[in-house]
Amino acid sequence: MAVYVYSITAAAHPRHLDGLTGVGDPPSVLRSVRAGPLCAVVSDAPADLRPKRRDLTAHQNVQQRLMAEGTVLPLRFGLTAPDDEAVQVALDERREEYTRKLTALEGCAEYHLKAATDQDTLLRQILLETSEARRLNDEITGGNTNPDLPLALGEMVAKEVQARHGALAAGIAVALRPHTRQQLSSAPTGEDFLNVSFLVDQEHEQQFLAAEKGLASELGDDVDVRLYGPLPAYSFV
């Protein structure tokens, strides 16, 4: 029977899963599959697995419990294998890689940070601080109907927004980097200009949180900084 794979741990990890259930309806029973120094936490895989809220929550609850008790390699939602034997084979074949990653993540958690600017405020700042943009805007609002003016203003504003967002993103990364073990940037979505994950060890966690709080205060209300965590280190597995 196909199995659903939640995560990988060292065999010495306690893996206390009492009170937790796995994905599926009815919920599946969690178990461990061991291969030498490694274990995978698995359950039977439902035939109609979908990213439903209940199953996503069950998957995340397993990661959080394991993370609270030791180092874990959290796997993305939806990973399955043909059977327990296939899981054991994978653990054996990639033993060195998984062991190395467990060592790299020992004592660490992931924090995820996103940031966005208030677009109206940013536009006002650009018009106030960029003389050429202000001149073009004044001509347009003054009644100049030259169709090239809005295009020129739009291009100028877009470049200025990109430059300012880039500078803000770089400044945030530089400020927080000393308190992290590793960081990984992803393409921002929506109104965000920053989407970055930090791997933070317990020794520096309070320093990291204090630095992020101070940075958010310094940036003020015009920059919306959102920090999520501590989380299982999905981005670094």
Side-chain angles (χ1 to χ4, degrees):
M1 183 178 197
V3 296
Y4 183 97
V5 189
Y6 298 82
S7 53
I8 297 169
T9 72
H13 190 292
R15 294 186 306 287
H16 291 144
L17 301 172
D18 297 345
L20 291 179
T21 54
V23 299
D25 185 16
S28 55
V29 177
L30 298 166
R31 64 182 185 274
S32 294
V33 174
R34 179 169 179 173
L38 298 173
C39 271
V41 176
V42 307
S43 70
D44 290 344
D48 59 344
L49 180 65
R50 296 290 185 275
K52 300 175 183 177
R53 178 176 295 180
R54 198 215 74 83
D55 289 336
L56 290 169
T57 299
H59 180 93
Q60 186 66 6
N61 285 344
V62 172
Q63 312 301 342
Q64 294 286 359
R65 174 72 66 82
L66 293 170
M67 177 183 167
E69 297 182 331
T71 307
V72 59
L73 299 184
L75 303 179
R76 298 288 184 180
F77 178 87
L79 181 65
T80 62
D83 50 36
D84 286 6
E85 289 72 23
V87 175
Q88 289 177 316
V89 169
L91 292 177
D92 278 330
E93 288 181 345
R94 303 179 68 177
R95 177 182 301 181
E96 183 177 343
E97 175 189 352
Y98 291 148
T99 301
R100 184 173 64 252
K101 287 184 176 181
L102 282 168
T103 300
L105 295 180
E106 186 173 359
C108 291
E110 178 173 336
Y111 281 87
H112 194 66
L113 188 143
K114 296 184 177 184
T117 54
D118 182 86
Q119 294 300 303
D120 291 338
T121 300
L122 184 58
L123 178 58
R124 287 195 297 269
Q125 290 174 347
I126 291 172
L127 292 178
L128 180 65
E129 299 168 4
T130 309
S131 59
E132 182 61 15
R134 186 169 61 252
R135 183 189 68 78
L136 290 170
N137 186 65
D138 288 344
E139 287 199 36
I140 294 169
T141 57
N144 191 325
T145 59
N146 184 341
D148 293 335
L149 294 181
L151 179 60
L153 178 60
E155 291 178 347
M156 183 173 297
V157 168
K159 289 181 180 179
E160 189 65 24
V161 167
Q162 184 177 17
R164 293 183 181 221
H165 280 169
L168 277 171
I172 291 172
V174 167
L176 297 179
R177 186 177 296 127
H179 313 295
T180 69
R181 185 177 293 185
Q182 192 176 346
Q183 67 182 55
L184 182 65
S185 295
S186 302
T189 59
E191 298 295 323
D192 293 333
F193 68 85
L194 181 65
N195 182 10
V196 59
S197 294
F198 297 97
L199 187 64
V200 182
D201 59 44
Q202 294 175 346
E203 182 180 354
H204 298 97
E205 186 174 27
Q206 293 307 312
Q207 295 168 297
F208 172 81
L209 293 174
E212 186 277 333
K213 184 177 180 180
L215 185 62
S217 178
E218 181 181 341
L219 292 172
D221 295 336
D222 293 339
V223 181
D224 177 27
V225 178
R226 290 110 59 205
L227 183 68
Y228 307 92
L231 303 167
Y234 288 106
S235 300
F236 302 94
V237 175

